[in-house]
Structures are given as C-alpha cells and as structure tokens.
Amino acid sequence: MSTFLGNFFRADTAAMDPLFYPPTSGGIPSESKLATYMNRHNVVTPTYGLSSGLSRLSLDSPISIKKAQVPSQSPEFIPSHINSSPSCYSPYNGNVITPPSVKSNTNITPILGNQATTTTVQSAGLMGMNGIATSSYSVTPIKGRSNSIHNDSPQSVGDTSPAINTPQTSPTPTTLPLGVHQENVGGTIYFYPTANHTSSQTSSVGSESVPQTTSSTLMYNHMGHVYPGPASNVINMKPKTLLSSAFFMPEEMRIEIQGRNEIANLIMENPENSNLPIEVDNYHSLYPLEPETLHPKLIQQSSTYKATNSSTGIKYCLRRLHGFRLQSTKCMTVVEMWKKLQHSNVVQLREVFTTKAFGDNSLVLVYDYHPGSQTLLAKYFTPTQESNGYTDPFPGEARPFSHKSNLQRTANGPLLPETTIWSIIMQLTSGLRAIHQASLACRALDPTKIIVTGKRVRFSFPGISDIVSYDPNTAVVNHYQQEDLTSLGKLVLALACRCLHSVHRDNVQTSIELVSRQYSSDLRNLIIYLLTSSTRRSVTDLMPMIGARFYTQLDALQSQCDMQEDELAKEMENGRLYRLLVKLGCINERPDFNLDATWSETGDRYMLKLFRDYLFHSVTEDGRPYLDQAHIVKCLNKLDAGVMEKVQLMSRDEQSVLIVSYAELKNCLENAFSELVAHAAS
Ligand SMILES: Nc1ncnc2c1ncn2[C@@H]1O[C@H](COP(=O)(O)OP(=O)(O)OP(=O)(O)O)[C@@H](O)[C@H]1O
C-alpha cells in the first residue's frame, strides 16, 4: 500500500511559516533534510489533500510495530490535578495509541478505545517538517467518541468535499536521503531521521529566535516563553492558596481595576439634557466629576470633567475656570514649565486653551485623568456616621481650612495609623521636591487639591494659581515655596488629628500635644519644623525626619511591583492565547469563504477543525466531556510555539486518525487566517 506521506511533506512544507522554516528555495531551508530529500527525488506533488492519503491508507487493526529507530518518546500533557481526569489517560497506558516511535512490538490495536474498528492512521511525517527529527511522540489524552459517530470525515463514504484531491502518483521515495529511515507500519510509511542526523538549526517563537540543539531537548525549549507560574517570592505575598493565585489575579486587584475601568467608562445618560457642550475644543463626552454647584463666595468658579480626546480616544481630566479672561499671556511661560514637570506624585498638566463652548469665556486646563480618585478631604476629612453629636449643617458645601471656606470639620473617624501618615508625607514631599526643584510652587497645598488613587497620592490641578493670580515677579516663587511648606505642616497636623479644626491658630498647641501623645517624636518634629516659618525651610531637610521609613516604603513599593509584574506575565500569556483562539474561532465552522461553503472543512482547515475538537470536545472513555483547562492551555501553547511534537487528531466518525505536528497546525492556522485577512482587506 502506498502512502501519501511524501506529498504531505512537500505540499505542507512549501507553505510553512517562514518564522519556523526560514525560506530558502521553495520555502524549505537548504540545510533541511527534507529539502535534500525533495531535491533528490523531485517528487511529483499533487494538491495537498488529507483525504487523498486517507483514502489510500486503510490499516487493518491491529497495527504492529516491527522496529523502532527513534529515541524514547516524551508524553504529551497528562492531566494530573483535575478531578475529571480520566484514568485511561495515564502515561504509557496500554489503552492509548502506542506510537510507532516506541521501541516495542506493541500492537496499536486498542487505538482510541474499543470502538475503533478499521482505523486509518495518517502520519504528517514523523521526520518532522524542516528535517528536524522529532523523536518525541505524543501520547494524547484524546479518547474516541465511542457513543457518537459522525459521518463527516473527509474520506467518509459519500463525502463530496471538493477541495480534497487524490494523489495520482505515489510519492513514496525509492531512495532515501542519508540519515533518513523509512518504515512501513501496516501500510503507512513513516520516515525517521537516524539519531546521528539531527541537525542544529534555529527556530522562532514569536519574534524571538531560539537556537535549536537536538530534537529531544528542543521540544520544550520552544515553549520557554510560557508563563512558568508565580515566583516563590510572589506566591508568599498573596493571601491565596497556591493553585488559585497561580491562575487568577488577586481578588482585591481585580475589583480595584474593574472599579476604575467602570468609572473611566462612565458616560452621561442623557447628554442632550445636560447643559454641557457636545464638544469642547478637541475633547468630547464630557462627564462632570463633581456636582454642579455654585459657590458665590468663590473668587473663581471652576468645574471638573472627564473628557475624551477626539484624536486619540484617551481620557483626560478637564478643569474649567468659568468666565475667565487671561490678563496676560506671560503666564503661559509658567504653564510651559508645569507641562514639563513629570512626577508620579503630581498630576500632569497637558495643555491649556480658552473656549466659548460653554457659552462663556472659559479657560480649560487639561490634566491626566486618574479614575477612581478621591480628594484627601473626601477620604480623610469626611465625618463618619457616628460623629460625636455634631452634624454638618452644610453637607457637601463644607470647605477645608483653605482660602475658600471657614467651615471646618470634626470627628472624621479614628486616628490614622502612623504608617499611613508617613506614606502620605513621603509622597507629598517627593512631589513637592520636584515642584520646587523646577522653580515652581504648588500654591494650593490643600486637601481638595490632593487626590488619592488607591495608595497613590498626587497634587492635583497644579499651575492653576499661577494662572489665576499670575505674579510676573519670579523672585516671589521662593516666598510661595515657603508657604507650601507651611501648608504641608498644616496638612500633616490635620491628618494626624484627623480634623481640620486642629490647624486653627487657637488649636495648634493642643493638636501638637495630641500628636506627641499618639505618634512618634519624628512626626511631631516634622510638623513643628514645617510650621516654624521664622526660619528658611527646604523640603529636602525633611529627609532625616523620614529616616529609615523611606526604606520601608521603598521595600513595600518594590514588593508591589514584583506582584504586579507577575500578574502582568500571566495576563500577557492570556492575551497571547486569546489571540490564538480568535484566529481559530474565525476559521472553524466558517459557513462560507470566498463563495466556498466547504472552505473551513477542507484542506488545512480540516486539521484545525479536528484540532479544535481535540482541544475542546475530547471525552473520557465513558463518553463524559473531558474538561481540563490545563489540557487546553498546554495544547494552545504548543500550537503557538509551533513545536515539533505530534498530536493525534481523530475524525468525528472515528475512522481516521491524523498524526500531525503542532508546527504544521500552526502553519495551517497562519495560512488560513492570512487568507481571511487578505480577503477581508480586498
Ligand atoms: N486628575 C484627576 N483625575 C481624576 N479625578 C480627579 C482628578 N482631579 C480631581 N479629580 C476628582 O474630581 C473631583 C472634583 O475635584 P475638585 O478639585 O473640583 O474637588 P472639589 O472638592 O470640588 O474642589 P473645588 O471646590 O476646588 O472644586 C474630585 O472627586 C476629585 O477626586
């Protein structure tokens, strides 16, 4: 009985992904044994068709292996931790197909369970594409669908699949190239490289080049990029069991990110009913970040919106100064200085423009948008339900100790842990240091002008004071910087007492006594230093008071980075597998392509369809769905890497088994998807 194997080689390698099969003549590397083989024998190549081979190869069971010429096999994925793992999937189990590569005389009779009768075995070339010897062989967990027989195999009787051609010429080579061993197993001819002919070459995984050494070691080297599970330093940080943290993002992190996404995606339900313009300059979808309230006492009425940039789609935070007329464009030099200031504790100013879109002369400052932010006032100075009998007569209207209001608050919950206060101090002094070093001053160091996003603290709306009350005298910046430090002292005192009253001139002494009782002397000294305005102060002088706490903060941040990086590594893998699934999904079961109703069922696509079945529709020996995510992930990874390992695919009618390498499947996938992409673009 002849074999279609030669055809398979030729036709398939010609279309191989150049990533894996660097093109030389005819797309096959010159160093490839396959190229040598093909050059020598000049095999007539019919159209690539699986059914041709299938129809010509029919093995009577049992298939006996006469001899084996390849090294030992490596098992494919063997489910180990999933409770649905069927017993028949144990490695080297007699119930699974014994690959011809196994050195034994074992019969392949029990192929795919006891239902298999006349089974056709196709090999996609055990020599492997590109001449690489694939000494490893898959023992697949797949089990026949013993209870369901589908007649959709391409070689099934009555199959009219138009794209499958029967080869007219036997492709079986008469002379084999050096180093290639040919073996007939029950009518199927397998080609093996002999052990001393495994070549060293380069293959690619994604964009990275991975040098290949020997076939047995390269198989899993191909997949070296796969997420190896969390690092031991990270797993111990997570308050989770090993298994769940290995696969899932920490719940807290997920909720936080989802919450922020939800906030960032908020849109006005009835924008036509709001009095906001549809578009302001290059921004649209304005969404107010605070209730529209008029503060008659305020010198400068302002509003804050989230908005989307029309060109980039990126969301920004717009601060609008109502009815504002710029007295002098000279302040734009300071605006430019603010725009250049980049710091993780300062909200970045992006641009400033004037607009009449709101029906007045407004000045709009565009800042980075940090969804889910709260002002320091809202987070730490909002009265709790169980306040000490005091009820705020002006809820929502209260102003902090700043220039804007005399109303102050009391009883905002328990005192903060000292570590929280130091964390805020370190972040604020870090931001303030950058501001002062840029020859700027904050000028609005106020609990409403500091935002907290998660654990991050940032100065918000920097530069507004420089525009609203522009002072052309540059020397005055020193004065403002000193004021910043006094304001910082007040803020820290208010935080420590958790009360805005505490900074009132009459209360300062008592407040400092409270700090001395409750917190460390360092914190008290820092507050006193900042509030002593008789001497010239500098933000850098605060460093000795922060002391070793700085290292604790640095350590916490780095640990957080480690954890987030690990999550990123996991998510990166998910994205990769998702893209692969998208490709498969676009191809599998496509009802029509380019007026060809059988496109997705024939040629390369047929293998992908069977692979999809193997991935998702495998069943246990007794016909139960085999649901093992590890199996799916592992197979997808092998597909993505295009490893030379073989996988057994079975037709739905259980009459045919295709043995195909992941490299070939990858090639099929890329070709089929490229066809789709090309057609979509045409
Ligand atoms: N860059 C930003 N990104 C996201 N949200 C922000 C940003 N800056 C401020 N916010 C949020 O916008 C809302 C309004 O901020 P705003 O400074 O106007 O507060 P406010 O207490 O109303 O002060 P004011 O009385 O000066 O308007 C706050 O909830 C704040 O957390």
Side-chain angles (χ1 to χ4, degrees), residues 467-532:
I467 295 172
V468 173
S469 46
Y470 175 68
D471 193 336
N473 181 4
T474 47
V476 86
V477 73
N478 284 329
H479 166 74
Y480 290 135
Q481 288 180 352
Q482 292 299 305
E483 278 193 351
D484 281 351
L485 291 167
T486 308
S487 303
L488 180 64
K490 286 184 185 177
L491 183 72
V492 176
L493 184 60
L495 272 173
C497 300
R498 202 133 183 221
C499 172
L500 295 176
H501 274 308
S502 60
V503 297
H504 198 271
R505 193 177 298 137
D506 303 335
N507 298 335
V508 169
Q509 192 56 42
T510 333
S511 303
I512 290 189
E513 280 166 19
L514 184 145
V515 173
S516 309
R517 277 198 308 278
Q518 299 290 333
Y519 297 105
S520 67
S521 55
D522 278 343
L523 188 63
R524 187 186 64 103
N525 292 343
L526 181 132
I527 294 168
I528 291 174
Y529 174 82
L530 288 172
L531 293 181
T532 311

Side-chain angles (χ1 to χ4, degrees), residues 513-656:
E513 280 166 19
L514 184 145
V515 173
S516 309
R517 277 198 308 278
Q518 299 290 333
Y519 297 105
S520 67
S521 55
D522 278 343
L523 188 63
R524 187 186 64 103
N525 292 343
L526 181 132
I527 294 168
I528 291 174
Y529 174 82
L530 288 172
L531 293 181
T532 311
S533 51
S534 51
T535 53
R536 194 186 144 66
R537 295 145 296 155
S538 159
V539 72
T540 46
D541 292 342
L542 299 173
M543 206 48 198
M545 290 170 233
I546 294 169
R549 292 175 190 91
F550 176 81
Y551 295 111
T552 317
Q553 176 89 350
L554 191 66
D555 178 48
L557 277 177
Q558 289 182 157
S559 299
Q560 196 188 1
C561 281
D562 285 348
M563 208 183 85
Q564 288 174 346
E565 215 168 86
D566 189 70
E567 291 307 319
L568 185 66
K570 221 186 300 178
E571 297 310 314
M572 190 178 83
E573 291 297 282
N574 288 345
R576 193 170 55 74
L577 296 182
Y578 163 78
R579 285 189 290 277
L580 211 52
L581 287 174
V582 166
K583 286 184 179 177
L584 271 175
C586 289
I587 297 161
N588 290 147
E589 314 286 350
R590 180 167 279 276
D592 174 48
F593 172 68
N594 207 8
L595 299 178
D596 180 1
T598 58
W599 180 79
S600 68
E601 299 288 316
T602 53
D604 285 359
R605 282 78 55 191
Y606 181 66
M607 282 208 285
L608 294 176
K609 174 184 162 168
L610 297 191
F611 180 67
R612 191 272 316 270
D613 286 354
Y614 170 69
L615 271 184
F616 300 112
H617 302 163
S618 290
V619 290
T620 59
E621 197 171 19
D622 54 357
R624 285 176 294 122
Y626 177 60
L627 303 178
D628 183 348
Q629 286 200 47
H631 161 67
I632 297 170
V633 168
K634 196 149 187 169
C635 292
L636 282 173
N637 279 335
K638 287 174 185 175
L639 174 70
D640 196 25
V643 296
M644 302 307 293
E645 186 179 329
K646 301 282 186 283
V647 57
Q648 283 174 192
L649 304 177
M650 186 170 58
S651 66
R652 287 183 176 180
D653 61 6
E654 300 185 352
Q655 296 303 299
S656 314

Side-chain angles (χ1 to χ4, degrees), residues 31 77 111 134 174 247 252 308 356 506 578 592 614 621:
E31 71 276 16
F77 168 72
I111 286 177
T134 50
T174 48
F247 289 102
E252 199 184 311
T308 306
K356 291 191 172 166
D506 303 335
Y578 163 78
D592 174 48
Y614 170 69
E621 197 171 19

Side-chain angles (χ1 to χ4, degrees), residues 396-413:
E397 290 284 314
R399 296 288 112 200
F401 54 81
S402 69
H403 57 286
K404 287 186 179 171
S405 170
N406 292 324
L407 281 175
Q408 293 172 331
R409 306 202 172 202
T410 56
N412 302 306

Side-chain angles (χ1 to χ4, degrees), residues 289-290 295 298 302 304 317 319 347 367-371 373-375 377 399 404 448-449 451 460-461:
L289 291 179
E290 53 178 347
H295 299 300
L298 298 186
S302 56
T304 312
C317 176
R319 180 76 163 174
V347 177
Y367 293 94
D368 281 353
Y369 172 60
H370 301 284
S373 301
Q374 265 185 303
T375 63
L377 178 76
R399 296 288 112 200
K404 287 186 179 171
T448 65
K449 296 297 161 279
I451 55 168
S460 73
F461 306 130

Side-chain angles (χ1 to χ4, degrees), residues 6 43 68 119 124 131 155 256 259 284 330 333 341 347 372 429 533 636 654:
V43 178
T119 305
Q155 90 280 20
E256 200 176 311
H284 63 85
K330 281 186 185 159
T333 44
L341 183 79
V347 177
T429 49
S533 51
L636 282 173
E654 300 185 352

Side-chain angles (χ1 to χ4, degrees), residues 335-353:
V335 166
E336 286 307 312
M337 288 165 80
W338 278 110
K339 278 164 68 177
K340 282 186 195 134
L341 183 79
Q342 278 187 27
H343 195 272
S344 53
N345 298 111
V346 181
V347 177
Q348 176 95 40
L349 175 64
R350 296 291 170 186
E351 64 167 317
V352 179
F353 60 86

